[in-house]
């Protein structure tokens, strides 16, 4: 096109006048240095903290360190595609992820991009990954139970909707298994009027482990109400850092719309490690165990977002099950103590119990739920009240009994009861049990009907008894399920049913 | 580190105080940039100024001989002090600090214009005056050609990029179509 010199000025003026319609206007900066997934850039004078910035080759990053001379941004993509001198653009948005029911059954990365090859996520809404936790007046005390389907947890360490319960233990003690069982058990809630939608956030895990887990969820029909957010061990540290926040934003959608959500962060130790790496590369001063000074805030601001909302806000809830891996059972390390102090209790898994065949390997003495009985149905509260104390006493007596040859009658009886209790609390993976069945078997044990059963036959007795209830006394189970309580009349009926079965056993 | 920062501030403030017009600014910034780039580019020049065996009077006299004809007088005097104090390693920081200070003082904007084809001198003058009127600032402009733009212009005014290039429009259209 031939443009006359004197026309250029007018042309430019008219073009710049309509600049917002025809021209892309961006605040830009220049990459000064790049390495280890972190870019230092000049310019970007008005960039916000946590703002998404765009590098060439479709690589995105997040502005974190806003300094006088430059801006430090972490990269969510391949840093080899960005080089010194490249232009970096502001996007004006903080990092957001798609939210909503469209994400159910999907496996996504921490930016909400699909990873399962099932096509784009057609979510209608997005939410920023970093949101302020709700205030005191917007919350409601945790009262409704969230059943995990695991006898040892639902009876002694009950979890309520809106609670934060830490799952802590060494490697290979079944931490993820508890979380997965809890997710699978939520299937039964989808037949009720308050279904629980689940989000599983895998941080720093092997891709093969996550693939196995997704397959297991699918096989158990749990993917229909679950979203899996994945930042694998091979993903850049910034993605592992934001993954729990992304998952949390997805969970908050259910909470804020009067529904119920359950989110599992598996695990926060790896997120803290990723954050440490990022912080050191960003030249933030290291503190204890080389973690940066704000590592407590990293977890506290995340876990504070799990809550039960007031009636005015729709009574929704988001329950969080963070997972922490300890080294050699050291719960007094930096990150475990931090997270223990933030959560409303912990389920402590013990290696010795696990190796001794007690699975789930819950250490009843060290585990606690600070919400306690208010998150249990009355029936469970009645029968499980003494269970915890009995088990703790049994552990003590058992250790003592190893050195004593003859025991008095009451001690021997307590040990016999304890051994049977431990036996019925054992449970296989991926077979969560309904609350009414849990109540039935624990009731039988606590009433002493198992005391004269051989230890090896306890499992068989349990299976038989539950089948007996199912086939001949389903009304008992139905009543527990409907009323949530054991009336005197029902107790009599249950005792009759148990005695009836015991005769035939 | 702190001492270096103090020194950089002293040198750049001195230059900034001495520069009172846009023309002065242009000649000082060009001279400083050239001196800085020759120090960074040419190892022998760098070694010469950092040498402990050559005394500072020799360095200064040679420096004066080399630049007296082409370099701004104010800058020559300042750089002589820099050389005398063996602070040539701070020239890059002095340059950056001077630009920041003077931009504010003299109301100058740095503009980079990138086009897909060569723009002739009269067109360049016209663009310069038009932009200067539009943003109401004196402008330090730099023209560049990038055939990848295909058509249109990219104008970067300080930290703001006005992009009307065909390349960006096509990329946007592509991402919309592909859904990336």
């Amino acid at each position: 096109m031939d443009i006359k010199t004197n026309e250029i000025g007018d042309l430019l003026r008219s073009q710049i006048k309509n600049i917002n319609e025809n021209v892309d206007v961006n605040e830009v900066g220049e990459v000064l240095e790049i390495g280890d997934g972190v870019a230092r850039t000049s310019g970007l004078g008005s960039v916000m903290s946590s703002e998404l910035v765009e590098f060439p080759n479709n690589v995105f990053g997040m502005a974190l360190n806003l300094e006088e001379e430059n801006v430090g941004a972490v990269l969510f993509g391949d840093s080899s595609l960005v080089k010194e001198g490249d232009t970096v653009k502001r996007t004006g948005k903080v990092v957001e992820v798609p939210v909503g029911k469209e994400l159910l059954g999907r496996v996504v990365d921490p930016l909400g991009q699909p990873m399962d090859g099932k096509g784009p996520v057609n979510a209608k809404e997005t939410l920023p990954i970093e949101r302020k936790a709700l205030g005191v007046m917007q919350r409601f005390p945790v009262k409704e139970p969230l059943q995990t389907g695991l006898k040892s947890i639902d009876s002694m360490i009950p979890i309520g909707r809106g609670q934060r319960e830490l799952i802590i233990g060494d490697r290979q003690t079944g931490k993820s298994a508890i979380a997965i069982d809890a997710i699978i058990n939520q299937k039964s809630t989808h037949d009720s009027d308050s279904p629980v939608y689940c989000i599983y956030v895998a941080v720093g895990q092997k891709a093969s482990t996550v693939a196995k887990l997704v397959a297991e969820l699918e096989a158990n029909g749990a993917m229909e109400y679950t979203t899996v957010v994945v930042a694998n061990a091979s993903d850049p540290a910034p993605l592992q850092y934001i993954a729990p926040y992304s998952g949390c934003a997805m969970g908050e959608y259910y909470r804020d719309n009067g529904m119920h959500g359950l989110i599992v962060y598996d695990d926060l130790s790896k997120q803290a490690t990723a954050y440490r790496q990022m912080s050191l590369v960003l030249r933030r001063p290291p503190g204890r165990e080389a973690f940066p000074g704000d590592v407590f805030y990293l977890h506290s601001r995340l876990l504070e977002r799990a809550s039960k909302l007031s009636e005015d806000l729709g009574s929704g809830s988001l329950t969080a099950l963070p997972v922490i891996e300890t080294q050699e059972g050291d719960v007094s390390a930096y990150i475990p103590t931090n997270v223990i102090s933030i959560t409303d209790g912990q389920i402590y898994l013990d290696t010795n119990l696990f190796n001794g065949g007690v699975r789930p390997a819950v250490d009843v003495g060290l585990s606690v739920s600070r919400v306690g009985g208010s998150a249990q149905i009355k029936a469970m509260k009645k029968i499980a009240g003494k269970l915890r104390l009995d088990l703790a006493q049994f552990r003590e007596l058992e250790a003592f009994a190893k050195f004593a040859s003859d025991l008095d009658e009451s001690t021997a009886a307590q040990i016999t009861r304890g051994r049977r209790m431990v036996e019925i609390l054992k449970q296989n993976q991926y077979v969560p049990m309904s609350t009414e069945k849990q109540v039935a078997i624990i009731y039988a044990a606590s009433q002493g009907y198992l005391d004269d059963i051989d230890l090896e036959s306890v499992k068989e007795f349990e299976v038989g008894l539950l089948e007996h209830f199912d086939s001949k006394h389903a009304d008992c189970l139905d009543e527990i399920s409907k009323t949530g309580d054991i009336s005197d009349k029902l107790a009599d009926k249950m005792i009759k049913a148990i005695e009836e079965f015991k005769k035939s056993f | 580190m702190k001492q270096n920062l103090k020194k950089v501030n002293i040198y750049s403030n001195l230059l900034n105080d001495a520069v009172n017009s846009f023309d002065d600014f242009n000649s000082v910034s060009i001279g400083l940039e050239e001196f800085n780039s020759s120090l960074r580019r040419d190892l022998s020049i760098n070694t010469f100024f950092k040498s402990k065996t050559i005394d500072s009077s020799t360095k200064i006299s040679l420096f004066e001989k080399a630049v007296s004809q082409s370099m701004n007088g104010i800058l020559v005097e300042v750089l002589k002090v820099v050389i005398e104090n063996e602070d040539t390693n701070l020239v890059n920081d002095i340059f950056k600090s001077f630009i920041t200070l003077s931009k504010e003082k003299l109301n100058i904007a740095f503009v980079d214009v990138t086009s897909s084809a060569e723009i002739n001198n009269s067109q360049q003058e016209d663009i310069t005056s038009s932009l200067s009127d539009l943003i109401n600032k004196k402008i330090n402009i730099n023209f560049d050609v990038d055939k990848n733009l295909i058509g249109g212009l990219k104008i970067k005014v300080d930290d703001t990029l006005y992009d009307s290039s065909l390349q960006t429009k096509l990329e946007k259209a592509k991402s919309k179509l592909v859904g990336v």
Side-chain angles (χ1 to χ4, degrees), chain A residues 2-13:
Chain A
D2 193 13
I3 302 171
K4 286 179 187 162
T5 317
N6 53 4
E7 285 174 358
I8 285 188
D10 292 334
L11 197 69
L12 208 58
R13 261 184 211 98

Side-chain angles (χ1 to χ4, degrees), chain A residues 14-45:
Chain A
S14 70
Q15 276 189 1
I16 289 177
K17 213 178 249 175
N18 302 318
I19 209 144
N20 289 327
E21 288 161 29
N22 304 321
V23 181
D24 242 25
V25 185
N26 287 301
E27 192 178 330
V28 292
E30 193 179 302
V31 177
L32 297 173
E33 64 176 69
I34 176 104
D36 303 316
V38 167
R40 288 204 168 266
T41 63
S42 67
L44 299 176

Side-chain angles (χ1 to χ4, degrees), chain A residues 60 120 125 149 167 256 461 495:
Chain A
F60 285 88
E125 287 181 53
I167 302 172
D256 296 345
F461 182 87
I495 286 173

Side-chain angles (χ1 to χ4, degrees), chain A residues 113-186:
Chain A
Q113 302 294 324
M115 293 177 82
D116 49 10
K118 291 181 185 170
V121 177
N122 296 314
K124 291 172 195 79
E125 287 181 53
T126 58
L127 279 177
I129 63 163
E130 289 273 9
R131 292 174 79 204
K132 204 172 174 297
L134 295 168
V136 177
M137 298 314 289
Q138 291 148 314
R139 292 172 188 246
F140 205 67
V142 174
K143 277 184 180 168
E144 298 158 85
L146 183 125
Q147 306 293 354
T148 60
L150 296 167
K151 285 172 280 187
S152 52
I153 293 172
D154 290 346
S155 59
M156 291 181 291
I157 318 145
I159 301 170
R161 292 188 182 182
Q163 191 179 337
R164 292 112 7 123
E165 182 78 11
L166 170 67
I167 302 172
I168 186 167
D170 277 6
R171 50 179 279 278
Q172 293 293 311
T173 50
K175 302 181 297 297
S176 303
I178 286 183
I180 299 304
D181 277 349
I183 291 178
I184 293 173
N185 193 51
Q186 302 316 311

Side-chain angles (χ1 to χ4, degrees), chain A residues 171-382:
Chain A
R171 50 179 279 278
Q172 293 293 311
T173 50
K175 302 181 297 297
S176 303
I178 286 183
I180 299 304
D181 277 349
I183 291 178
I184 293 173
N185 193 51
Q186 302 316 311
K187 194 173 184 182
S188 58
T189 65
H190 287 260
D191 302 326
S192 69
D193 54 357
S194 59
V196 178
Y197 299 96
C198 304
I199 293 130
Y200 181 86
V201 184
V203 184
Q205 296 191 35
K206 286 181 286 182
S208 60
T209 311
V210 180
K212 201 176 137 203
L213 181 141
V214 172
E216 211 58 62
L217 288 176
E218 254 163 16
N220 286 284
M223 270 311 274
E224 288 161 26
Y225 54 85
T226 305
T227 305
V228 179
V229 181
V230 186
N232 284 324
S234 58
D235 285 330
L239 277 181
Q240 295 185 38
Y241 155 65
I242 66 159
Y245 298 102
S246 303
C248 191
M250 292 170 192
E252 279 175 326
Y253 168 83
Y254 302 113
R255 183 198 67 186
D256 296 345
N257 286 289
M259 294 178 268
H260 301 276
L262 166 67
I263 185 160
V264 176
Y265 304 113
D266 195 1
D267 67 50
L268 291 186
S269 319
K270 293 199 183 74
Q271 190 219 9
T273 312
Y275 186 57
R276 172 170 64 186
Q277 178 193 325
M278 247 172 62
S279 301
L280 292 173
V281 177
L282 280 165
R283 292 179 205 155
R284 290 179 178 178
R288 183 176 159 188
E289 291 177 25
F291 285 105
D294 63 343
V295 77
F296 183 86
Y297 184 56
L298 170 85
H299 291 143
S300 66
R301 73 174 192 268
L302 171 74
L303 294 168
E304 271 298 289
R305 287 162 69 179
S307 50
K308 165 79 184 160
L309 295 196
S310 67
E311 280 172 20
D312 296 343
L313 293 170
S315 299
S317 73
L318 179 64
T319 312
L321 296 179
V323 177
I324 287 282
E325 187 182 291
T326 51
Q327 305 294 328
E328 299 291 319
D330 182 14
V331 284
S332 61
Y334 193 21
I335 302 302
T337 44
N338 275 357
V339 183
I340 285 172
S341 71
I342 300 161
T343 47
D344 307 311
Q346 70 276 348
I347 297 166
Y348 182 78
L349 303 175
D350 186 68
T351 315
N352 292 332
L353 286 176
F354 187 85
N355 293 336
V358 180
R359 294 172 197 186
V362 179
D363 184 323
V364 180
L366 288 176
S367 303
V368 66
S369 169
R370 286 177 210 161
V371 171
S374 57
Q376 260 179 329
I377 60 166
K378 274 186 187 167
M380 187 63 98
K381 218 188 290 186
K382 270 184 190 167

